[in-house]
Each structure stands twice: as structure tokens, then as C-alpha cells.
Amino acid sequence: MHSYQVILLAAGQGKRMKAGRNKQFLMIAGTPLLIHTLRVFEEDSLCKEILLVVNERETQEINDLIRSFQLEGKVRFVSGGKERQDSVANGLSAAAQSGPDDIVFIHDAARPFVMREYLHRLSAAAFEEGGAILAVPVKDTVKEVDGIEITKTTDRSRLWLAQTPQAFRYSVIAEAHARAAQEDHIGTDDASLVEYIGGRVTIVEGNYENFKVTTPEDMMFAEAVIKHRLEGGKE
Ligand SMILES: Nc1ccn([C@@H]2O[C@H](COP(=O)(O)OP(=O)(O)OP(=O)(O)O)[C@@H](O)[C@H]2O)c(=O)n1
Ligand SMILES: C[C@](O)(CO)[C@H](O)COP(=O)(O)O
């Protein structure tokens, strides 16, 4: 079992949620979204430290929130950046004392339902392979389109939906972000930056409950997951 640090990303604006504020503060079953996610890592004995990346303007509010839930034990605050990739880069800078083979997780705080068993599988895979991500098989047929015209139907059997955490040996992800910054290369996830420099990233099959809370209907799905778990579904 390999311990890890997690760069927990919470410095976005939640624009697609249309809530007028950072979605991390929105309540799911009476508890803020961010607290649900923080709790997972606070309670995981393999998690050594939570590098919580936040918008500087929200630091005090988030710090007060964390203390009110007594979840400050492993948290170290990091300032977020303009884009998600910038926030990750700031998190990596804060983790710079890590050894080259230390495992770093990068996780969207907007994914509150990741389960501990998957975190442990991911850590082992990242240690063995250098990089690993949670992902789930596509369930729908996926089309490429031009405007409204379908130009291609992709081979679904080879398509997976990337989730987070995405886990890497520190040296691997640090090099990938350094090269991306040097070459102004932007990726929508961190695995793509490792792929960009020819690095190996593997898949650990996760589950569909680990979705990213992004748009208003996701709040309904989130409430349903909590209800299912309270009624005895697996934690
Ligand atoms: N500059 C940014 C942008 C995003 N994130 C974080 O990255 C995660 C995934 O991003 P997303 O779901 O897109 O969140 P937002 O950027 O807040 O959403 P939107 O794009 O709708 O504004 C979120 O937990 C978000 O807080 C971040 O830390 N720093
Ligand atoms: C990293 C990610 O969650 C993998 O699916 C996704 O790419 C984040 O996208 P976002 O637009 O920054 O939420």
C-alpha cells in the first residue's frame, strides 16, 4: 500500500452550475460539496497531505468551513490559478519537496463520491506504472460531428471516460507540467500532459458514482448517491 499526497482542486468558479458562486459551497444532503470530498481524503490513512487549491478570495471562508467540520488535519492551502492546469501547477510547486517516486494524486473537488477502495488501487497502479487514472467504459455510442452533421461513429469498445483522481510518481507529473508550460500546451486533464511527453498512463476501472458535479442536474444525481449510500449502499 503506497501513501500519497493529493492536490485537491477547488479554485474554479462553477460557471456551468449557474449558481452564482463556486459550486464547492453548494449543499448536498445538508453538507457543502467540498466537505464531502475533503472527508474522503481526511479519512483515508494512505493520504499523507491534502494540498487544497483554492481561490485566494475564498481562503478564509473555506478555512472557517473546514474547521467547523474538524477536517483541517491534513490540509495545506495553495493558491489557485486562472485555469485548472495552472491550479495543478501551483499544487505541484507546493509538493516540490516530494521524492521523485512519491505518489501524487490530482483530484477535482467537484467529484465528491470517489470510494476509498479505488484510491488504494490507483495508488498501487501509479507506483507500478508511473501513472494511472480512474476511468469508466463509455456506455453510449459516441459520434464525432461537424456542426450538426455526424462525421464519424467511434469504436465504443476502445473508449473510456477519464475521471479523477489521476495519480503519478511526482517526477513524472512534474516533468509533464514543466514541458507543457515551456511549450504552451494545454490539456483538459493531467494524464494528457504525460501522454504528450510520451509517458505511460494506465487505466484503473472506477465506478459511475464518481461523476463530476458540473451542471445543475448533477445536484439531483448527487442527492441520489447520498440517499443510496445512507440506505446501505456500499461506501
Ligand atoms: N482555475 C481552476 C479551474 C477549476 N478548478 C477545479 O477543477 C475542478 C474541475 O473543474 P470544473 O468541474 O470545470 O470546475 P469549474 O471550473 O469550477 O466549473 P466551470 O468550468 O463550470 O466554471 C473543480 O473542482 C474546480 O474547482 C481549479 O481548481 N482551478
Ligand atoms: C480532469 C477531468 O475531470 C477528467 O475528466 C476533466 O477533464 C475536467 O474538466 P473540466 O472542464 O476542467 O471540469
Side-chain angles (χ1 to χ4, degrees):
M1 304 283 262
H2 300 278
S3 61
Y4 62 87
Q5 284 172 294
V6 59
I7 296 170
L8 188 58
L9 299 166
Q13 298 177 54
K15 286 181 234 149
R16 286 171 285 179
M17 185 56 78
K18 298 187 173 66
R21 65 177 319 201
N22 186 347
K23 62 190 175 185
Q24 305 296 342
F25 297 107
L26 299 183
M27 293 296 195
I28 301 173
T31 299
L33 167 56
L34 175 60
I35 297 299
H36 284 286
T37 314
L38 258 180
R39 194 170 275 149
V40 175
F41 294 96
E42 184 66 28
E43 292 174 354
D44 183 11
S45 59
L46 288 187
C47 180
K48 294 184 300 188
E49 184 177 36
I50 301 167
L51 296 170
L52 183 56
V53 188
V54 300
N55 183 318
E56 283 182 340
R57 294 191 300 276
E58 296 173 346
T59 305
Q60 189 57 56
E61 183 178 6
I62 291 176
N63 194 37
D64 293 345
L65 199 55
I66 293 174
R67 291 183 179 281
S68 70
F69 283 88
Q70 297 174 327
L71 290 174
E72 69 272 27
K74 300 179 184 176
V75 171
R76 177 158 49 114
F77 280 98
V78 177
S79 296
K82 183 174 181 295
E83 303 298 336
R84 182 184 182 281
Q85 188 165 317
D86 303 317
S87 291
V88 175
N90 291 353
L92 287 169
S93 298
Q97 80 289 352
S98 303
D101 292 334
D102 287 353
I103 302 301
V104 175
F105 280 24
I106 301 164
H107 187 57
D108 302 327
R111 292 181 189 268
F113 301 123
V114 62
M115 294 178 184
R116 191 177 308 157
E117 64 186 276
Y118 295 103
L119 300 178
H120 293 182
R121 286 182 205 159
L122 191 68
S123 180
F127 186 81
E128 292 303 319
E129 305 288 351
I133 69 169
L134 290 184
V136 289
V138 163
K139 293 191 279 190
D140 300 317
T141 296
V142 180
K143 307 281 187 183
E144 280 185 17
V145 300
D146 178 3
I148 61 167
E149 184 187 357
I150 294 171
T151 54
K152 183 182 174 186
T153 295
T154 57
D155 173 5
R156 186 171 82 189
S157 66
R158 295 171 54 86
L159 294 181
W160 289 66
L161 296 174
Q163 300 178 338
T164 69
Q166 302 195 350
F168 309 91
R169 289 203 205 101
Y170 180 78
S171 58
V172 169
I173 192 62
E175 167 63 18
H177 267 266
R179 281 275 302 281
Q182 285 159 9
E183 299 176 20
D184 282 334
H185 177 70
I186 305 287
T188 53
D189 74 345
D190 299 282
S192 63
L193 304 188
V194 176
E195 297 156 41
Y196 178 72
I197 63 170
R200 173 174 162 82
V201 185
T202 57
I203 294 286
V204 172
E205 184 163 359
N207 75 355
Y208 293 96
E209 288 184 22
N210 183 31
F211 66 92
K212 184 162 62 73
V213 177
T214 309
T215 50
E217 61 275 5
D218 291 331
M219 297 301 288
M220 173 181 61
F221 302 146
E223 293 283 349
V225 169
I226 295 280
K227 183 172 185 292
H228 171 72
R229 290 185 177 182
L230 288 174
E231 288 168 354
K234 268 183 81 179
E235 268 299 324

